[in-house]
Amino acid sequence: MPVADLDEFALYNRIQDHFPLDARPYQSAGEPFNLSEHTLLSLLARDLGNGRISRIGAVFAPNTIGATTVAALSIPQARMEHAVDRINLDPDISQSHAREGHRYNLWFVAGARDRGTLDGVLARIAADLGQRPVDLPLEREYRADLGLPLGAGRGGRRVPAQPPLILSPPEPPILDEADWRLAAALEAGLALTPHPYHALTRRAGLPLSDTLARLARWRSAGVIRRFGAILRHRPFGYTHNVMCVWNVPDARVDAVGMRLAHVPHVSMCFRRARRLPLWQYNLFAMIHARSASELNATLARFDAVGGLADAPRAVLRASHCFKQRGTRYGGALPEF
């Protein structure tokens, strides 16, 4: 197929989830679109280079391998650049955003091999910035649809490889050192070569068959939430990134969260720990919208969700993304 005739949205809708685990995955991924292996690799190289894609790789379910948390700081504008530099230099920080709408205005995602190491990351940030981050660990997921629905008329949803509504988290696997090596080798994503899993096996120190078997096992068990192209929101038109939070009574939060998860354009919905008196909210929803009207329509729908209309709420709009990549665990690994 000539590249000019390619429906790129259809291609990316598919390979956000349905990326092959075989010897020549780019060849297999291109076949449904009549793309040669070389053409698909060229397209992906272009979009990695221009920032539309961050990598081809894995998104792990939270806290199935290692430990992660969302944390926030209240930073005066005059000190924001210093705080961001400190946060982003830390290899354990995978995302950081400035958000408007609350005094906690610098948000980040931290991850490490275990909770003790993660606590150390937060303690070092507190020592360096003179403020303990508000640590908001995940308690329950209601929706985790991490890919982008591309193209018109999709209602803010795409068809993921697994159901996005989360009734129970996957059982954390018992990982041996080979598993940890493979998780670390995945951090940079797959190489853009005809045989990317061969390069992955060399980084992980595993046979090819063992590597593919471990990846397939993790994916089928839900330990890997999604395996494929990890797209960046803004280059694909998702210019509005909003986090809404509510204070919902604990006895009702699960029922409300499951209803909230069905609202169009809600891409993620979680229950997180409160940190009274600093942070009163326990229910979180992420919206990624392509226009102000799409965003406002979604916000208007929230009051119709039973249990939300009278709940204390805050709307935090992302004003700047400082850092966005996958969680890294390699810093906690022995040399190999």
Side-chain angles (χ1 to χ4, degrees), residues 201-215:
T201 62
R202 288 193 294 272
R203 295 202 301 269
L206 292 169
L208 177 61
S209 60
D210 194 4
T211 295
L212 294 176
R214 289 172 193 253
L215 293 176

Side-chain angles (χ1 to χ4, degrees), residues 14 18 33 42 81 93 121 151 189 201 225 241 313 322:
R14 181 173 180 82
H18 301 279
F33 302 92
S42 297
E81 184 176 354
I93 306 303
V121 172
T201 62
R225 174 67 49 75
N241 174 330
R313 180 180 81 169
F322 300 109

Side-chain angles (χ1 to χ4, degrees), residues 24-46:
R24 300 191 74 153
Y26 297 112
Q27 182 181 70
S28 301
E31 285 173 355
F33 302 92
N34 296 319
L35 290 178
S36 70
E37 180 181 65
H38 174 76
T39 300
L40 179 56
L41 284 169
S42 297
L43 286 171
L44 294 174
R46 179 200 68 186

Side-chain angles (χ1 to χ4, degrees), residues 89-102:
L89 282 174
D90 195 317
D92 299 299
I93 306 303
S94 57
Q95 298 183 40
S96 62
H97 292 80
R99 291 192 178 275
E100 301 171 345
H102 196 276

Side-chain angles (χ1 to χ4, degrees), residues 224-286:
I224 289 179
R225 174 67 49 75
R226 192 160 58 83
F227 192 89
I230 313 301
L231 312 185
R232 297 191 187 278
H233 296 95
R234 282 188 172 274
F236 284 91
Y238 284 82
T239 53
H240 298 268
N241 174 330
V242 174
M243 182 175 74
C244 294
V245 295
W246 295 263
N247 183 354
V248 178
D250 290 341
R252 297 167 53 201
V253 65
D254 285 344
V256 175
M258 291 298 289
R259 290 194 290 269
L260 179 61
H262 287 280
V263 175
H265 305 294
V266 170
S267 55
M268 291 176 275
C269 186
F270 307 105
R271 177 178 179 174
R272 293 189 178 276
R274 293 187 186 90
R275 295 301 189 207
L276 298 175
L278 301 174
W279 181 262
Q280 64 172 313
Y281 306 104
N282 61 338
L283 181 60
F284 291 62
M286 295 297 304

